[in-house]
Amino acid sequence: MHRHYCSRILFSLLMLLASAIDAAEIEVTVDRNPVGLGESFQITFTASEEPDGSPDFSPLQDNFEIINQQRSSSSSWVNGKSSRSEQWIVNAMAKQAGELLIPPIAFGADNSKPLKLTVSENTVTPQSNDEIFLEVNAAPEKPYVQSQVLCTLKLFRKVQITQASLSEPEIKDALVEKLGEDSTYATQVKGVDYWVTERKYAIFPQQSGVFTIAPLILNAEFVSNQQQRRFNGFFNRPSTESRRIASKAITLNVQAVPAGFKGPNWLAAEALQLSETWSDTSLQVKVGEPLTRTLTLSAKGATVGQLPELLGKTAIDGIKTYPDQPLLKEDKQIDGLTALREEKIAFIPSKPGDYTLPALEIAWFNTQTQKTEVASLPSVKIKALASGAATHPAPATATAPAEPASDSIASTPITVASDSDTRIWQAVSATLAAGWLLTIVLFYRRPAAKPSGPKSGTAASESLLERTLKRACWENNPQAAKQALLQWGKTEFATGSLGSLAARCPAALGEEILALNRLLYSGQHQDWQGQNLWQAFSAKPLAENADRKSDDGLEPLFKI
């Protein structure tokens, strides 16, 4: 009875886990946020796979009026992998102002996530010529220097425009970036229906003081309501009118850096995130091999030019550092600009030991809370191991399983090997053990290596290696140069990596080998020029072969 009860529980848990894995993830987005009361907007539901069933949009009707809906699907095939996307687009209009919630929508057993939407009162007032007019606003009107100002332009029209041109925002000592794509929707102004085309810009004032965003100018040609029909039927041609329309000017009072800000570099943003990743999470590395740290800084409401350098200039005794070129990106979404800076640095220790990298702190000003905040990463300890050591501890020796603690644990439906299975596995284990012992005996009974004196054919072999390396250098082929150097290092010093080979070469040659190693690690192979490596190799002392050193008596198991 007890065993049957446990089996039922296990089956239920497995079913819940399977349903969670199979559930389709449905994302929800809106074409803009906030929206005005009486304005139509789009809600898009996107699924990467077919949901469990058709959507039930009835919960939307509590706070929104559904104007229409449509469904679309798309498929793609990239790098041998197929992907599919299903979309449901709902055109809706809010019934009231305030913070409204787009509720979860059921797609059979699957559900979308809720989304908050801000609905503002419609304060638009038509100008004297209400067939077509412009509205421009900027927020905040008292920004801090180098912080983001969102400028929103709305073109209202109740006539058909056939041709139009619009000037860009102009402001002294400021960066201006267009955000996203224009959106078009319907709205009502004092009971009159209008079509609205909305465009957004991000403006970053670079100086403090009072500045003016010059009026935007629209030159439009639209169909006149008074049509002059010269012909009947198919040849009717509506007359058009041309009009020049200007928006109002916007004044910004740009504030200077707050006196209480203590950071070395001024950085204003709406949100900021600092993170790091490592090429090896154990933070252990062999001497002469690289361990790469990746630092990422993301700031919403800032440009890439405002983001500070992340990697410190402090030298660490015993470790050489090789930073890569930073990756800079800007994401221009409808709600503002997000800047990203990514830096990679390779740490290559020259001797074993424990090393501590200092903590990283970035002070920034939060424009939402009007307070200074600090993003930080703690100090990091990395361990450099001798070139022959293992970077990860060996797995612990298997021990016999303990006795069951109680009958309930023993009755859990876990497969246990029978006596016959145990004897079979014991026989297999004995056979494998015998094979390993035979391998070890043969390995240690092999002929010992002869002294490192010159052998017949050595000069010819080295000459071939030199010719191979020379050709690779002059053809600027870093991979071929690497293979030639590894073969030369194995012959001369019994080394198995470029890092350990560089430590045994003269300074000039060692630096060129390390530079090649860094370039191969970064993936920028097309930028390598091999003449300097060949010159350093050719200039090495001729007597160095007499001073060969070996890492140990065995060849390395793994090679870079």
Side-chain angles (χ1 to χ4, degrees), residues 325-353:
Q325 289 293 327
L327 172 65
L328 305 176
K329 291 197 305 183
E330 286 183 347
D331 187 15
K332 301 175 183 178
Q333 296 296 328
I334 200 67
D335 59 344
L337 196 69
T338 298
L340 181 139
R341 183 182 181 96
E342 181 182 276
E343 297 184 15
K344 290 187 177 183
I345 183 170
F347 297 92
I348 302 181
S350 58
K351 57 184 178 181

PDB file of all heavy atoms in Angstrom, residues 325-353:
ATOM      1  N   GLN A 325      39.932  44.208 -27.655  1.00  0.00           N
ATOM      2  CA  GLN A 325      39.221  45.437 -27.991  1.00  0.00           C
ATOM      3  C   GLN A 325      37.808  45.387 -27.393  1.00  0.00           C
ATOM      4  O   GLN A 325      37.139  44.360 -27.481  1.00  0.00           O
ATOM      5  CB  GLN A 325      39.130  45.603 -29.506  1.00  0.00           C
ATOM      6  CG  GLN A 325      40.451  45.948 -30.167  1.00  0.00           C
ATOM      7  CD  GLN A 325      40.940  47.328 -29.778  1.00  0.00           C
ATOM      8  OE1 GLN A 325      40.159  48.238 -29.550  1.00  0.00           O
ATOM      9  NE2 GLN A 325      42.254  47.480 -29.682  1.00  0.00           N
ATOM     10  N   PRO A 326      37.327  46.462 -26.768  1.00  0.00           N
ATOM     11  CA  PRO A 326      35.991  46.422 -26.167  1.00  0.00           C
ATOM     12  C   PRO A 326      34.898  46.337 -27.226  1.00  0.00           C
ATOM     13  O   PRO A 326      35.038  46.852 -28.335  1.00  0.00           O
ATOM     14  CB  PRO A 326      35.917  47.743 -25.387  1.00  0.00           C
ATOM     15  CG  PRO A 326      36.884  48.654 -26.077  1.00  0.00           C
ATOM     16  CD  PRO A 326      37.996  47.775 -26.567  1.00  0.00           C
ATOM     17  N   LEU A 327      33.799  45.687 -26.857  1.00  0.00           N
ATOM     18  CA  LEU A 327      32.617  45.606 -27.704  1.00  0.00           C
ATOM     19  C   LEU A 327      31.624  46.670 -27.245  1.00  0.00           C
ATOM     20  O   LEU A 327      31.235  46.699 -26.077  1.00  0.00           O
ATOM     21  CB  LEU A 327      31.980  44.218 -27.608  1.00  0.00           C
ATOM     22  CG  LEU A 327      30.622  44.038 -28.296  1.00  0.00           C
ATOM     23  CD1 LEU A 327      30.774  44.196 -29.805  1.00  0.00           C
ATOM     24  CD2 LEU A 327      30.008  42.694 -27.952  1.00  0.00           C
ATOM     25  N   LEU A 328      31.222  47.567 -28.160  1.00  0.00           N
ATOM     26  CA  LEU A 328      30.314  48.666 -27.834  1.00  0.00           C
ATOM     27  C   LEU A 328      29.049  48.524 -28.671  1.00  0.00           C
ATOM     28  O   LEU A 328      29.120  48.362 -29.889  1.00  0.00           O
ATOM     29  CB  LEU A 328      30.980  50.020 -28.104  1.00  0.00           C
ATOM     30  CG  LEU A 328      32.326  50.272 -27.414  1.00  0.00           C
ATOM     31  CD1 LEU A 328      32.902  51.608 -27.860  1.00  0.00           C
ATOM     32  CD2 LEU A 328      32.165  50.240 -25.905  1.00  0.00           C
ATOM     33  N   LYS A 329      27.886  48.606 -28.009  1.00  0.00           N
ATOM     34  CA  LYS A 329      26.622  48.486 -28.729  1.00  0.00           C
ATOM     35  C   LYS A 329      25.597  49.453 -28.135  1.00  0.00           C
ATOM     36  O   LYS A 329      25.651  49.776 -26.953  1.00  0.00           O
ATOM     37  CB  LYS A 329      26.064  47.055 -28.636  1.00  0.00           C
ATOM     38  CG  LYS A 329      26.861  46.027 -29.383  1.00  0.00           C
ATOM     39  CD  LYS A 329      26.066  44.752 -29.602  1.00  0.00           C
ATOM     40  CE  LYS A 329      25.544  44.168 -28.326  1.00  0.00           C
ATOM     41  NZ  LYS A 329      24.819  42.885 -28.557  1.00  0.00           N
ATOM     42  N   GLU A 330      24.670  49.904 -28.980  1.00  0.00           N
ATOM     43  CA  GLU A 330      23.550  50.728 -28.538  1.00  0.00           C
ATOM     44  C   GLU A 330      22.262  50.113 -29.068  1.00  0.00           C
ATOM     45  O   GLU A 330      22.152  49.811 -30.257  1.00  0.00           O
ATOM     46  CB  GLU A 330      23.685  52.175 -29.038  1.00  0.00           C
ATOM     47  CG  GLU A 330      24.748  52.970 -28.304  1.00  0.00           C
ATOM     48  CD  GLU A 330      24.816  54.417 -28.757  1.00  0.00           C
ATOM     49  OE1 GLU A 330      24.206  54.726 -29.806  1.00  0.00           O
ATOM     50  OE2 GLU A 330      25.471  55.232 -28.091  1.00  0.00           O
ATOM     51  N   ASP A 331      21.293  49.931 -28.185  1.00  0.00           N
ATOM     52  CA  ASP A 331      20.003  49.374 -28.546  1.00  0.00           C
ATOM     53  C   ASP A 331      18.972  50.492 -28.489  1.00  0.00           C
ATOM     54  O   ASP A 331      18.673  51.019 -27.415  1.00  0.00           O
ATOM     55  CB  ASP A 331      19.631  48.248 -27.575  1.00  0.00           C
ATOM     56  CG  ASP A 331      18.370  47.520 -27.995  1.00  0.00           C
ATOM     57  OD1 ASP A 331      17.959  47.683 -29.160  1.00  0.00           O
ATOM     58  OD2 ASP A 331      17.778  46.808 -27.153  1.00  0.00           O
ATOM     59  N   LYS A 332      18.435  50.860 -29.656  1.00  0.00           N
ATOM     60  CA  LYS A 332      17.502  51.992 -29.745  1.00  0.00           C
ATOM     61  C   LYS A 332      16.077  51.472 -29.781  1.00  0.00           C
ATOM     62  O   LYS A 332      15.537  51.156 -30.842  1.00  0.00           O
ATOM     63  CB  LYS A 332      17.810  52.823 -30.998  1.00  0.00           C
ATOM     64  CG  LYS A 332      19.227  53.379 -31.014  1.00  0.00           C
ATOM     65  CD  LYS A 332      19.535  54.090 -32.318  1.00  0.00           C
ATOM     66  CE  LYS A 332      20.981  54.572 -32.351  1.00  0.00           C
ATOM     67  NZ  LYS A 332      21.319  55.232 -33.623  1.00  0.00           N
ATOM     68  N   GLN A 333      15.477  51.354 -28.601  1.00  0.00           N
ATOM     69  CA  GLN A 333      14.086  50.927 -28.487  1.00  0.00           C
ATOM     70  C   GLN A 333      13.187  52.142 -28.342  1.00  0.00           C
ATOM     71  O   GLN A 333      13.638  53.256 -28.117  1.00  0.00           O
ATOM     72  CB  GLN A 333      13.924  49.978 -27.304  1.00  0.00           C
ATOM     73  CG  GLN A 333      14.688  48.676 -27.456  1.00  0.00           C
ATOM     74  CD  GLN A 333      14.209  47.821 -28.620  1.00  0.00           C
ATOM     75  OE1 GLN A 333      13.030  47.831 -28.961  1.00  0.00           O
ATOM     76  NE2 GLN A 333      15.135  47.099 -29.245  1.00  0.00           N
ATOM     77  N   ILE A 334      11.866  51.884 -28.430  1.00  0.00           N
ATOM     78  CA  ILE A 334      10.915  52.981 -28.416  1.00  0.00           C
ATOM     79  C   ILE A 334      10.888  53.686 -27.066  1.00  0.00           C
ATOM     80  O   ILE A 334      10.528  54.861 -26.959  1.00  0.00           O
ATOM     81  CB  ILE A 334       9.507  52.464 -28.791  1.00  0.00           C
ATOM     82  CG1 ILE A 334       8.628  53.613 -29.265  1.00  0.00           C
ATOM     83  CG2 ILE A 334       8.891  51.699 -27.644  1.00  0.00           C
ATOM     84  CD1 ILE A 334       9.044  54.226 -30.561  1.00  0.00           C
ATOM     85  N   ASP A 335      11.299  52.981 -25.983  1.00  0.00           N
ATOM     86  CA  ASP A 335      11.279  53.597 -24.658  1.00  0.00           C
ATOM     87  C   ASP A 335      12.619  54.193 -24.255  1.00  0.00           C
ATOM     88  O   ASP A 335      12.795  54.621 -23.116  1.00  0.00           O
ATOM     89  CB  ASP A 335      10.841  52.581 -23.601  1.00  0.00           C
ATOM     90  CG  ASP A 335      11.760  51.370 -23.551  1.00  0.00           C
ATOM     91  OD1 ASP A 335      12.540  51.164 -24.507  1.00  0.00           O
ATOM     92  OD2 ASP A 335      11.711  50.634 -22.551  1.00  0.00           O
ATOM     93  N   GLY A 336      13.585  54.240 -25.178  1.00  0.00           N
ATOM     94  CA  GLY A 336      14.846  54.893 -24.867  1.00  0.00           C
ATOM     95  C   GLY A 336      16.041  54.112 -25.370  1.00  0.00           C
ATOM     96  O   GLY A 336      15.922  53.030 -25.963  1.00  0.00           O
ATOM     97  N   LEU A 337      17.219  54.678 -25.122  1.00  0.00           N
ATOM     98  CA  LEU A 337      18.483  54.112 -25.584  1.00  0.00           C
ATOM     99  C   LEU A 337      19.113  53.287 -24.465  1.00  0.00           C
ATOM    100  O   LEU A 337      19.110  53.701 -23.306  1.00  0.00           O
ATOM    101  CB  LEU A 337      19.425  55.238 -26.003  1.00  0.00           C
ATOM    102  CG  LEU A 337      20.633  54.878 -26.860  1.00  0.00           C
ATOM    103  CD1 LEU A 337      20.208  54.448 -28.244  1.00  0.00           C
ATOM    104  CD2 LEU A 337      21.575  56.075 -26.960  1.00  0.00           C
ATOM    105  N   THR A 338      19.637  52.122 -24.796  1.00  0.00           N
ATOM    106  CA  THR A 338      20.378  51.292 -23.846  1.00  0.00           C
ATOM    107  C   THR A 338      21.771  51.057 -24.414  1.00  0.00           C
ATOM    108  O   THR A 338      21.915  50.588 -25.551  1.00  0.00           O
ATOM    109  CB  THR A 338      19.679  49.951 -23.595  1.00  0.00           C
ATOM    110  OG1 THR A 338      18.389  50.196 -23.016  1.00  0.00           O
ATOM    111  CG2 THR A 338      20.486  49.098 -22.630  1.00  0.00           C
ATOM    112  N   ALA A 339      22.795  51.393 -23.629  1.00  0.00           N
ATOM    113  CA  ALA A 339      24.183  51.256 -24.063  1.00  0.00           C
ATOM    114  C   ALA A 339      24.817  50.052 -23.380  1.00  0.00           C
ATOM    115  O   ALA A 339      24.535  49.756 -22.215  1.00  0.00           O
ATOM    116  CB  ALA A 339      24.969  52.525 -23.739  1.00  0.00           C
ATOM    117  N   LEU A 340      25.703  49.356 -24.119  1.00  0.00           N
ATOM    118  CA  LEU A 340      26.382  48.180 -23.578  1.00  0.00           C
ATOM    119  C   LEU A 340      27.863  48.248 -23.901  1.00  0.00           C
ATOM    120  O   LEU A 340      28.252  48.578 -25.026  1.00  0.00           O
ATOM    121  CB  LEU A 340      25.778  46.901 -24.149  1.00  0.00           C
ATOM    122  CG  LEU A 340      26.383  45.589 -23.638  1.00  0.00           C
ATOM    123  CD1 LEU A 340      25.283  44.548 -23.393  1.00  0.00           C
ATOM    124  CD2 LEU A 340      27.400  45.019 -24.629  1.00  0.00           C
ATOM    125  N   ARG A 341      28.683  47.951 -22.908  1.00  0.00           N
ATOM    126  CA  ARG A 341      30.132  47.869 -23.089  1.00  0.00           C
ATOM    127  C   ARG A 341      30.604  46.527 -22.541  1.00  0.00           C
ATOM    128  O   ARG A 341      30.303  46.182 -21.390  1.00  0.00           O
ATOM    129  CB  ARG A 341      30.851  49.008 -22.364  1.00  0.00           C
ATOM    130  CG  ARG A 341      32.371  49.015 -22.577  1.00  0.00           C
ATOM    131  CD  ARG A 341      33.050  50.120 -21.794  1.00  0.00           C
ATOM    132  NE  ARG A 341      34.488  50.132 -22.018  1.00  0.00           N
ATOM    133  CZ  ARG A 341      35.117  50.896 -22.899  1.00  0.00           C
ATOM    134  NH1 ARG A 341      34.420  51.755 -23.613  1.00  0.00           N
ATOM    135  NH2 ARG A 341      36.427  50.842 -23.055  1.00  0.00           N
ATOM    136  N   GLU A 342      31.319  45.774 -23.373  1.00  0.00           N
ATOM    137  CA  GLU A 342      31.836  44.468 -22.972  1.00  0.00           C
ATOM    138  C   GLU A 342      33.340  44.442 -23.174  1.00  0.00           C
ATOM    139  O   GLU A 342      33.829  44.789 -24.252  1.00  0.00           O
ATOM    140  CB  GLU A 342      31.172  43.350 -23.776  1.00  0.00           C
ATOM    141  CG  GLU A 342      31.635  41.953 -23.403  1.00  0.00           C
ATOM    142  CD  GLU A 342      30.991  40.883 -24.261  1.00  0.00           C
ATOM    143  OE1 GLU A 342      29.866  40.465 -23.944  1.00  0.00           O
ATOM    144  OE2 GLU A 342      31.622  40.477 -25.272  1.00  0.00           O
ATOM    145  N   GLU A 343      34.075  44.042 -22.139  1.00  0.00           N
ATOM    146  CA  GLU A 343      35.534  43.979 -22.213  1.00  0.00           C
ATOM    147  C   GLU A 343      35.997  42.584 -21.810  1.00  0.00           C
ATOM    148  O   GLU A 343      35.493  42.009 -20.839  1.00  0.00           O
ATOM    149  CB  GLU A 343      36.175  45.029 -21.304  1.00  0.00           C
ATOM    150  CG  GLU A 343      35.842  46.461 -21.702  1.00  0.00           C
ATOM    151  CD  GLU A 343      36.562  47.487 -20.839  1.00  0.00           C
ATOM    152  OE1 GLU A 343      37.522  47.093 -20.144  1.00  0.00           O
ATOM    153  OE2 GLU A 343      36.173  48.662 -20.848  1.00  0.00           O
ATOM    154  N   LYS A 344      36.970  42.066 -22.559  1.00  0.00           N
ATOM    155  CA  LYS A 344      37.567  40.768 -22.256  1.00  0.00           C
ATOM    156  C   LYS A 344      39.056  40.952 -21.982  1.00  0.00           C
ATOM    157  O   LYS A 344      39.716  41.750 -22.651  1.00  0.00           O
ATOM    158  CB  LYS A 344      37.380  39.795 -23.422  1.00  0.00           C
ATOM    159  CG  LYS A 344      35.948  39.334 -23.623  1.00  0.00           C
ATOM    160  CD  LYS A 344      35.875  38.252 -24.682  1.00  0.00           C
ATOM    161  CE  LYS A 344      34.438  37.741 -24.822  1.00  0.00           C
ATOM    162  NZ  LYS A 344      34.339  36.638 -25.799  1.00  0.00           N
ATOM    163  N   ILE A 345      39.552  40.205 -21.002  1.00  0.00           N
ATOM    164  CA  ILE A 345      40.968  40.262 -20.682  1.00  0.00           C
ATOM    165  C   ILE A 345      41.446  38.850 -20.374  1.00  0.00           C
ATOM    166  O   ILE A 345      40.764  38.101 -19.664  1.00  0.00           O
ATOM    167  CB  ILE A 345      41.249  41.220 -19.498  1.00  0.00           C
ATOM    168  CG1 ILE A 345      42.754  41.319 -19.241  1.00  0.00           C
ATOM    169  CG2 ILE A 345      40.506  40.801 -18.245  1.00  0.00           C
ATOM    170  CD1 ILE A 345      43.129  42.405 -18.263  1.00  0.00           C
ATOM    171  N   ALA A 346      42.573  38.476 -20.944  1.00  0.00           N
ATOM    172  CA  ALA A 346      43.167  37.166 -20.700  1.00  0.00           C
ATOM    173  C   ALA A 346      44.284  37.306 -19.667  1.00  0.00           C
ATOM    174  O   ALA A 346      45.176  38.151 -19.812  1.00  0.00           O
ATOM    175  CB  ALA A 346      43.722  36.575 -21.992  1.00  0.00           C
ATOM    176  N   PHE A 347      44.219  36.506 -18.611  1.00  0.00           N
ATOM    177  CA  PHE A 347      45.248  36.473 -17.575  1.00  0.00           C
ATOM    178  C   PHE A 347      46.121  35.244 -17.824  1.00  0.00           C
ATOM    179  O   PHE A 347      45.612  34.120 -17.851  1.00  0.00           O
ATOM    180  CB  PHE A 347      44.625  36.397 -16.188  1.00  0.00           C
ATOM    181  CG  PHE A 347      43.778  37.581 -15.818  1.00  0.00           C
ATOM    182  CD1 PHE A 347      42.413  37.575 -16.063  1.00  0.00           C
ATOM    183  CD2 PHE A 347      44.350  38.706 -15.243  1.00  0.00           C
ATOM    184  CE1 PHE A 347      41.629  38.673 -15.738  1.00  0.00           C
ATOM    185  CE2 PHE A 347      43.568  39.798 -14.915  1.00  0.00           C
ATOM    186  CZ  PHE A 347      42.216  39.788 -15.161  1.00  0.00           C
ATOM    187  N   ILE A 348      47.430  35.454 -18.005  1.00  0.00           N
ATOM    188  CA  ILE A 348      48.364  34.352 -18.231  1.00  0.00           C
ATOM    189  C   ILE A 348      49.427  34.400 -17.138  1.00  0.00           C
ATOM    190  O   ILE A 348      50.318  35.264 -17.154  1.00  0.00           O
ATOM    191  CB  ILE A 348      49.021  34.437 -19.623  1.00  0.00           C
ATOM    192  CG1 ILE A 348      47.945  34.436 -20.707  1.00  0.00           C
ATOM    193  CG2 ILE A 348      49.991  33.290 -19.837  1.00  0.00           C
ATOM    194  CD1 ILE A 348      48.489  34.496 -22.120  1.00  0.00           C
ATOM    195  N   PRO A 349      49.356  33.498 -16.145  1.00  0.00           N
ATOM    196  CA  PRO A 349      50.352  33.510 -15.054  1.00  0.00           C
ATOM    197  C   PRO A 349      51.689  32.960 -15.525  1.00  0.00           C
ATOM    198  O   PRO A 349      51.749  32.054 -16.356  1.00  0.00           O
ATOM    199  CB  PRO A 349      49.713  32.617 -13.991  1.00  0.00           C
ATOM    200  CG  PRO A 349      48.792  31.715 -14.749  1.00  0.00           C
ATOM    201  CD  PRO A 349      48.310  32.488 -15.934  1.00  0.00           C
ATOM    202  N   SER A 350      52.752  33.528 -14.989  1.00  0.00           N
ATOM    203  CA  SER A 350      54.100  33.070 -15.329  1.00  0.00           C
ATOM    204  C   SER A 350      54.696  32.183 -14.251  1.00  0.00           C
ATOM    205  O   SER A 350      55.751  31.583 -14.463  1.00  0.00           O
ATOM    206  CB  SER A 350      55.019  34.275 -15.566  1.00  0.00           C
ATOM    207  OG  SER A 350      55.051  35.103 -14.403  1.00  0.00           O
ATOM    208  N   LYS A 351      54.046  32.090 -13.095  1.00  0.00           N
ATOM    209  CA  LYS A 351      54.524  31.214 -12.024  1.00  0.00           C
ATOM    210  C   LYS A 351      53.339  30.772 -11.185  1.00  0.00           C
ATOM    211  O   LYS A 351      52.319  31.467 -11.113  1.00  0.00           O
ATOM    212  CB  LYS A 351      55.556  31.941 -11.168  1.00  0.00           C
ATOM    213  CG  LYS A 351      55.064  33.238 -10.551  1.00  0.00           C
ATOM    214  CD  LYS A 351      56.176  33.950  -9.799  1.00  0.00           C
ATOM    215  CE  LYS A 351      55.681  35.284  -9.212  1.00  0.00           C
ATOM    216  NZ  LYS A 351      56.756  36.003  -8.493  1.00  0.00           N
ATOM    217  N   PRO A 352      53.441  29.607 -10.553  1.00  0.00           N
ATOM    218  CA  PRO A 352      52.317  29.108  -9.750  1.00  0.00           C
ATOM    219  C   PRO A 352      52.066  30.001  -8.534  1.00  0.00           C
ATOM    220  O   PRO A 352      52.950  30.723  -8.061  1.00  0.00           O
ATOM    221  CB  PRO A 352      52.776  27.704  -9.321  1.00  0.00           C
ATOM    222  CG  PRO A 352      53.942  27.381 -10.194  1.00  0.00           C
ATOM    223  CD  PRO A 352      54.571  28.669 -10.581  1.00  0.00           C
ATOM    224  N   GLY A 353      50.840  29.941  -8.030  1.00  0.00           N
ATOM    225  CA  GLY A 353      50.508  30.705  -6.832  1.00  0.00           C
ATOM    226  C   GLY A 353      49.059  31.152  -6.835  1.00  0.00           C
ATOM    227  O   GLY A 353      48.304  30.897  -7.776  1.00  0.00           O
TER     228      GLY A 353
END
